Amino acid sequence: MQKLSPPQVGSLILLVILSFFGAQAAKAAVDLEEGWEYRWGDSPFTEDGIPEWTQVDEPDQWQAIGFPSNPPGRNGREHVWYRIALPGGEWQEPLLYIFSVDLIVQVWLDGENIYQYGTFDHEGKGRFEGWPWHAIPLPEGFEGKQIYFRVFSDYTDIGLWGEVSIMNRPDLVLFILENSLDALVIAGFSALIALLSLIFALLQTEKKSFGSIALFSLSSALMLLSESQASQLLWESPLAWDYLAAGSYYMLPVAMALLLEQWFSEHRPWLINLVWKIHLVYVVAAIGLALTGAVDLSSTFPPFDALLLASLVTIAVVVVRRFRDLRIEQQVILAAYGIFCSLLVVDMAVAHGFLPWWRVPVSWGTLIFSLAVVLISLWHYARTQQALHQLNLSLEQQVAERTEKAEALARLEQARVRLLTFENEKTRVLNDIIAELQDCITLNQTFPVMARRLPDLCSPLRGRLYQRVDDGRAYVLLTRWGYAGEPESPARIETPDGPPPQNQIPARYSADSGQSWSEWQEDVNGSLCLWINIQSATEGQITMALLFVEVPEEFAGESTDYGAARLFQALSQGLQKIGIALSSIGLREELHKYSYEDALTGLKNRRYFDQLFEHESAVALRSDQPLSLLIVDIDLFKQFNDTHGHEAGDSALKAVADRLARHFRDSDVVCRFGGEEFVIIMAGSSAQAACDKAAELARAIRSMPVEHGGTDLGHVTISVGVASWPECSKSPDSLLGLADRALYRAKAAGRDRVEVSDPGS
């Protein structure tokens, strides 16, 4: 895995949102649940560094196991190998997904180390480097082959953990998000509770329980985030996430014991006080020793789990004795905490192998605790609001409301005038834009027109116009309007995953409408993104430009719904008409391009040469300037094709064409004449200059390697025929035939040479 760039993080957030609203990951996966075998110890290695156990079958040395984790008879051993035959299937980008490994692992297939996590020293050992999930790319033809896992662990568990399955790469991200969605959403909710509790703790310093709730909610949120599989997509640093998970996990009993100590302060709860102090010392000692390298972080979990069980029993004894003395809201919070701790204990039992592996919903315990805090807060808020309601019925507030209504009506009236002005002008401006666009020959000529005229079409709205560049991977700013004195807009928008989403304008008065304009305005957060699309003959629909317009605050009122909807609907329809006009220009431009260009090499074709040569011959006669013509033929090209195949032949043609395009002057014209023949028109060049240029070209081609599919296919040579006017011919029109005969002489003389047409022939 790699660290995500900012645009990729935006795409990840979009995937999370889509999953939250019902998008399910299609887990097209094959779980590896049967056929596992294990072997204690570590394999010796050959001189080539290949484990001998992967080269020799030795079935009597391998034992069957239901799942590759914690085989019987460990007896303090720290090395184990697992293997399984990989099943077949239809895959596009197959990955071997592993939930986790205790502790470090190498993966071998066909005598190759295809994956490694952790560092193995000369004794086959290594330090703990975190508990990430693993995505191991599988090479082609892996079906039916044995895959071997070399595992080292000085932890209580040894082997693979959780789930092992084969799936396609795109399915893996959705699978990870689907399994992490609950934890991420609940972690965010808990973080919000922590923030609010911290604010209340700062505002009401006499109520220290808010600080303890903030600490517990924050620890829960950090634990859920760091233990969720999606955290690895945000930041590829498993050990850092494990440190964060350990610290937040270890702080949970500290926070809860502090809260109970405050609630039971009248009874001097020395036992609760001792619990949180012991746990706080353990947090500092465990994390500190792990950071200094004195111990592995993984080794700090088992002692803590034992300590936590003892602490939970102690807390339960104290709470049961004093439960009736607590207020109702405190009892609710303790009940929620009890549910959370129960799930935590079950998860602990699964982690230590006392229960079969399954995904324990610890996040739901956190959610129940957070909801309990929210419900109690809402209950207190409702009581407070009921008391404040009587204070708000004063004459001063009534006068303020009437004043606000009058000001709102004035703003709405101003907005109505602006909307009517726009509607009266929009049709005329749009027709003018379409007329100017139809006068353009190429798409590049249309962008200055749109940059100049779209502000008029969008008035009175302010906005920005961006043009597509780099084959859609980015958009650059063409113009903006209505932002006088405000900060500059981004000059470039990076879009590696496609353009930003287009806002759909609600049909306010249609039968399917379910959303008001003011509600929609809150959704788009004041900014509207519209696409200007064209239809391409080769690429289909392309978003050539992005139009961002600002939604004014005056449109927030319900009375402007109809006018605002008509304004933006008209703008959207206008952009569709502009897109149709641009599509016509683009298709015409593409048609012109393809009629004169060779599809394989990108050079001009025979049709273009015929027209241009006739023109250049006339110019040469009129200006009395020399004109030279070269015909280039790849030697023994049919034999090259028969030996290496037609795809390799195409690679050779493209390599020669690329060399030709770079070898000649900008004023020279290189065309593909047909098959393996190329022709070059050199206006203003004498026979000697053309011959020298051809000789240089032959030397360059002779030393140029030809590659296909990563394989060096050797070299090719060329034969060149040269003819010049007026040195070799009385008329420029005969140069093609003379150059062709000169080429024939070069072929007959042994190839890989340059021949010039005889003067006067």
Side-chain angles (χ1 to χ4, degrees), residues 191-210:
L192 178 60
I193 298 300
L195 177 61
L196 295 176
S197 300
L198 181 60
I199 293 174
F200 289 146
L202 295 175
L203 295 178
Q204 303 181 28
T205 55
E206 70 281 1
K207 294 186 177 181
K208 299 180 180 180
S209 59
F210 282 119

Side-chain angles (χ1 to χ4, degrees), residues 183-184 186-191 193-194 212-228 244-245 247-253 255-256 337 340 344 362-363 365-367 369-370:
L184 294 177
I186 295 172
F189 185 57
S190 298
I193 298 300
S212 301
I213 293 176
L215 179 59
F216 183 84
S217 297
L218 181 60
S219 298
S220 301
L222 291 176
M223 183 184 71
L224 292 178
L225 174 62
S226 54
E227 290 186 347
S228 70
L244 187 60
S248 56
Y249 178 42
Y250 297 167
M251 283 299 295
L252 290 175
M256 203 61 209
Y337 179 69
F340 173 78
L344 210 58
V362 177
S363 59
T366 304
L367 178 62
F369 182 87
S370 301

Side-chain angles (χ1 to χ4, degrees), residues 657-719:
D658 180 66
R659 176 68 68 176
L660 287 169
R662 292 185 285 109
H663 184 76
F664 291 94
R665 305 170 302 177
D666 292 340
S667 58
D668 301 332
V669 180
V670 182
C671 304
R672 185 181 180 189
F673 198 63
E676 66 270 24
E677 289 189 346
F678 302 85
V679 61
I680 301 97
I681 302 175
M682 301 181 65
S685 292
S686 64
Q688 185 60 46
C691 183
D692 293 341
K693 200 69 174 177
E696 293 175 6
L697 174 64
R699 287 193 298 271
I701 296 295
R702 189 182 306 123
S703 61
M704 176 188 71
V706 178
E707 295 183 353
H708 175 68
T711 302
D712 189 352
L713 303 180
H715 302 268
V716 296
T717 61
I718 60 172
S719 297

